[in-house]
Amino acid sequence: MVVQAKKRELKEAQRRRRQLEERCRLEESIGNAVLTWNNEILPNWETMWCSRKVRDLWWQGIPPSVRGKVWSLAIGNELNITHELFDICLARAKERWRSFSTGGSEAENEDAGFSAADREASLELIKLDISRTFPNLCIFQQGGPYHDMLHSILGAYTCYRPDVGYVQGMSFIAAVLILNLDSADAFIAFSNLLNKPCQMAFFRVDHGLMLTYFAAFEVFFEENLPKLFAHFKKNNLTPDIYLIDWIFTLYSKSLPLDLACRIWDVFCRDGEGFLFRTALGILKLFEDILTKMDFIHIAQFLTRLPDDLPSEEVFASIATIQMQSRNRKWAQVLTALQKDSRDTEKGSPSLRH
């Protein structure tokens, strides 16, 4: 027994030493990457961001200390939002909150054709959603250090885009940005991100365009994972069942936060096509399990993925996914499907269920 106990102690000591060595290697790697980003890439962003060296480094994950800066540059600011505009929108939001809390008249709260009831529902939904945003972190809930910041950004956005308002799921996107940027820059990135075609289609619930995105996804699904695609078809499992939540929150609700941030890294680099490539990577990772499941169990599994997904395994799976079908890339397939749906009254056959 003494000998066995000593063997166990030795194994445990070896395991701890390996973990320490791995941690040291990781810290050294991150440190070197930070230097490269700060000293070489960021000062020469316009000329370097699309180089092969930077793309390879990007795929490995952006160091947390420079992630916010890189995301801001990659997302861009096509809307030309300034810090001053954020302050104006935030002031309007605060005034509206005060008006509602003091029972201001409906006339005071109506603008751009949106009723006070709509506004109040939107504000109530923000309050409710914030309480459900990364609850395990306990930093966005009432009394947490980031509660007011998240509330401010979402409120300001409803004033900036009253036509869109607040939609469930936005809080997760804003929260991830807040963890990496200050308030004004997070608002700028948030507004520009939601203005991208894919995000706008989903958040405005443009059913026709959403169907086109699902149809484009299925083209690459069938190309990359024919066996699983056939199994899903046999079980009448359509992409909306699992994709909507993944796309709405950019995986931040469905995946561990560190992994979601790495997904965001490459999404900022490659655009919307990477969101669908990630979905296929996840499906491929669990293909063997999913092909043995029926409709209910597949839906349950995909809407609640395992909490301990290792980043490297997920990215290795994503790397095997080819986003090319008959020599057409994601954007070309999507554009062709959009044209088909416009050209015919009922839409392209590709969109029919």
Side-chain angles (χ1 to χ4, degrees):
M1 287 179 68
V2 174
V3 173
Q4 286 179 335
K6 284 187 176 180
K7 280 184 179 179
R8 280 198 299 271
E9 283 178 15
L10 181 61
K11 279 186 179 179
E12 181 60 23
Q14 289 172 338
R15 187 184 66 80
R16 284 199 299 268
R17 188 172 68 248
R18 283 196 300 271
Q19 283 183 331
L20 182 61
E21 288 171 354
E22 181 59 35
R23 191 154 57 242
C24 288
R25 276 196 298 271
L26 182 62
E27 287 174 1
E28 185 181 359
S29 172
I30 291 172
N32 291 335
V34 169
L35 288 174
T36 303
W37 280 101
N38 277 327
N39 299 338
E40 297 178 35
I41 302 168
L42 291 175
N44 305 290
W45 177 258
E46 291 301 328
T47 55
M48 284 197 70
W49 76 270
C50 56
S51 68
R52 183 58 186 265
K53 175 187 175 181
V54 174
R55 288 181 67 82
D56 289 346
L57 200 58
W58 210 319
W59 179 267
Q60 294 163 25
I62 300 168
S65 62
V66 296
R67 182 169 265 148
K69 179 66 175 172
V70 174
W71 285 0
S72 287
L73 288 167
I75 293 168
N77 187 13
E78 288 184 359
L79 298 172
N80 294 315
I81 299 172
T82 61
H83 286 208
E84 290 72 26
L85 180 57
F86 168 61
D87 291 337
I88 291 167
C89 291
L90 180 55
R92 284 180 184 168
K94 286 180 176 177
E95 181 57 39
R96 196 164 284 143
W97 296 330
R98 276 194 296 272
S99 181
F100 279 127
S101 64
T102 57
S105 70
E106 186 164 321
E108 289 175 325
N109 294 304
E110 286 193 74
D111 58 81
F114 297 90
S115 71
D118 291 337
R119 300 254 178 242
E120 193 159 17
S122 192
L123 293 175
E124 283 301 314
L125 187 54
I126 288 174
K127 191 188 298 183
L128 179 63
D129 246 17
I130 287 176
S131 69
R132 300 184 294 204
T133 303
F134 297 120
N136 294 339
L137 296 182
C138 301
I139 57 176
F140 294 107
Q141 287 64 42
Q142 187 77 42
Y146 292 108
H147 172 271
D148 291 349
M149 194 186 297
L150 182 55
H151 200 253
S152 294
I153 287 172
L154 297 174
Y157 184 76
T158 63
C159 291
Y160 175 65
R161 288 299 302 264
D163 57 320
V164 179
Y166 179 77
V167 181
Q168 203 167 0
M170 284 182 179
S171 63
F172 278 89
I173 296 177
V176 173
L177 291 168
I178 284 168
L179 292 174
N180 293 278
L181 292 160
D182 63 31
S183 294
D185 289 329
F187 176 76
I188 292 169
F190 180 74
S191 301
N192 279 277
L193 197 52
L194 264 54
N195 200 53
K196 305 287 184 189
C198 180
Q199 277 59 54
M200 193 52 71
F202 278 75
F203 280 112
R204 295 192 81 164
V205 196
D206 183 334
H207 291 290
L209 193 47
M210 288 170 72
L211 282 176
T212 308
Y213 273 103
F214 294 147
F217 169 76
E218 289 200 302
V219 168
F220 294 97
F221 188 177
E222 186 173 19
E223 193 89 20
N224 283 275
L225 304 165
K227 184 181 173 185
L228 187 61
F229 177 80
H231 182 66
F232 275 30
K233 283 291 183 187
K234 181 183 173 184
N235 284 275
N236 295 314
L237 196 106
T238 51
D240 55 295
I241 291 168
Y242 51 95
L243 273 186
I244 284 179
D245 201 40
W246 294 356
I247 302 298
F248 259 115
T249 63
L250 302 179
Y251 295 95
S252 55
K253 184 182 175 185
S254 311
L255 297 176
L257 185 56
D258 60 335
L259 173 54
C261 284
R262 276 198 65 185
I263 301 294
W264 279 48
D265 289 345
V266 188
F267 163 57
C268 287
R269 185 193 79 176
D270 292 356
E272 65 185 34
F274 187 72
L275 296 176
F276 296 92
R277 188 182 179 194
T278 297
L280 293 173
I282 292 169
L283 293 179
K284 179 164 187 178
L285 188 62
F286 296 109
E287 183 174 17
D288 291 344
I289 299 171
L290 294 169
T291 48
K292 295 180 177 70
M293 292 179 176
D294 59 14
F295 177 94
I296 294 294
H297 290 96
I298 294 171
Q300 287 176 339
F301 183 86
L302 293 179
T303 50
R304 189 168 180 82
L305 293 168
D307 295 328
D308 56 351
L309 279 176
S311 293
E312 295 309 321
E313 281 186 32
V314 173
F315 268 79
S317 185
I318 294 170
T320 65
I321 301 297
Q322 298 299 314
M323 295 300 278
Q324 192 156 315
S325 174
R326 298 175 185 170
N327 293 321
R328 294 184 304 170
K329 295 184 178 179
W330 168 264
Q332 293 168 311
V333 169
L334 184 68
T335 301
L337 286 167
Q338 285 176 305
K339 184 176 183 299
D340 286 349
S341 67
R342 283 194 302 266
D343 287 349
T344 59
E345 194 174 283
K346 292 182 179 177
S348 164
S350 305
L351 302 181
R352 293 179 192 152
H353 289 292

